[in-house]
Amino acid sequence: MAKAPVKYPFTLPGFEDLQAGIVAWPMSVIRLAGKDVQRLIAASGHVLDVWRHYTDDSVSVRAEVDGQQHHTITPIVRKRADNFEIDLVLRDNQTSAQYPDGIFHPHQDVQHIKKENIGLIEVMGRAILPARLKSELHEVEKYVLNQANDMKAYHKAWADDLKQRHEFTADNVTAIVEQETGLVFKRVLEDAGVFKTDEAGQAAFKKFVEAL
């Protein structure tokens, strides 16, 4: 995330002395930057206050359902040269009949790789994957090489898709499976993104910015 640029800069009313913008990232991130730490804290508090009460049914974003609040922010803070930066990651923990683990949580088709909640380090782009994968992915490698294996059934749909898209050899199998695991993690981040990166999602994100 620290390497990701701002793709949509905007001015935050009342905080014109700060730089603000939407970050080019799979999750929904607003970056604030400036030299005055207290101003950055105040601006971040404003974003959090608005987000806690913000609803947009068109993209299934709901601040409160049946008296239960669903919105918070994951903050990431860094210093870059003479400026301080705060990346504010918008989070929504609603569930639904379709997504009982969470609407903005890794969906069922990627849970063979990552089912757990997305924490601070993962939000920033470093995958913290379950230890079970160390041995399980070796069995996936054997499967795609058509060797005897003990692959878990929940990897089969993914592994079959890999076999259709790649020509595996003993020399390339580990690199390809690792790369494809990284792409699944990217999907995990996209699932957790409140405002999706498609046209409708980004329009909704800009609508939230207007509410600020």
Side-chain angles (χ1 to χ4, degrees):
M1 184 186 295
K3 297 178 181 179
V6 168
K7 64 180 178 181
Y8 176 69
F10 62 87
T11 300
L12 193 61
F15 298 95
E16 289 82 3
D17 52 317
L18 303 179
Q19 298 170 333
I22 294 174
V23 179
W25 195 246
M27 297 186 72
S28 303
V29 186
I30 289 175
R31 177 172 295 160
L32 305 176
K35 291 181 169 54
D36 189 326
V37 171
Q38 295 305 316
R39 291 286 289 163
L40 285 168
I41 292 172
S44 299
H46 170 64
V47 174
L48 176 58
D49 288 343
V50 175
W51 176 239
R52 279 176 170 162
H53 300 93
Y54 187 80
T55 291
D56 185 346
D57 286 314
S58 71
V59 287
S60 300
V61 167
R62 299 175 186 90
E64 184 178 310
V65 178
D66 296 330
Q68 181 179 358
Q69 289 191 320
H70 291 292
H71 286 179
T72 190
I73 282 177
T74 299
I76 293 119
V77 186
R78 69 181 70 87
K79 189 176 184 184
R80 198 189 302 272
D82 293 330
N83 264 12
F84 291 94
E85 291 182 352
I86 300 183
D87 283 351
L88 304 171
V89 188
L90 307 179
R91 310 299 296 271
D92 181 321
N93 68 357
Q94 290 181 83
T95 60
S96 68
Q98 183 179 5
Y99 301 115
D101 296 313
I103 297 172
F104 305 105
H105 178 88
H107 292 170
Q108 191 66 39
D109 63 324
V110 297
Q111 289 186 4
H112 65 103
I113 296 295
K114 176 70 173 178
K115 183 176 182 178
E116 297 79 6
N117 287 328
I118 305 304
L120 179 70
I121 295 174
E122 292 152 310
V123 162
M124 296 171 69
R126 183 180 294 276
I128 307 298
L129 300 176
R132 61 178 171 79
L133 290 178
K134 188 170 184 179
S135 59
E136 289 181 11
L137 291 182
H138 288 308
E139 299 304 316
V140 172
E141 291 177 16
K142 294 177 186 177
Y143 178 83
V144 299
L145 289 172
N146 298 313
Q147 298 173 354
N149 64 84
D150 190 27
M151 185 181 72
K152 299 292 186 183
Y154 48 69
H155 288 304
K156 187 175 186 305
W158 178 58
D160 286 340
D161 177 62
L162 297 185
K163 288 177 74 171
Q164 290 183 1
R165 294 190 288 108
H166 297 284
E167 292 291 334
F168 286 102
T169 68
D171 292 331
N172 70 17
V173 64
T174 297
I176 292 175
V177 169
E178 288 180 352
Q179 181 182 44
E180 291 287 344
T181 301
L183 293 176
V184 173
F185 178 70
K186 180 175 179 287
R187 248 294 311 283
V188 165
L189 293 184
E190 291 169 349
D191 285 351
V194 175
F195 297 112
K196 304 307 180 188
T197 56
D198 58 16
E199 184 176 349
Q202 291 305 288
F205 201 168
K206 292 176 181 178
K207 185 179 174 183
F208 171 68
V209 165
E210 292 173 4
L212 296 174

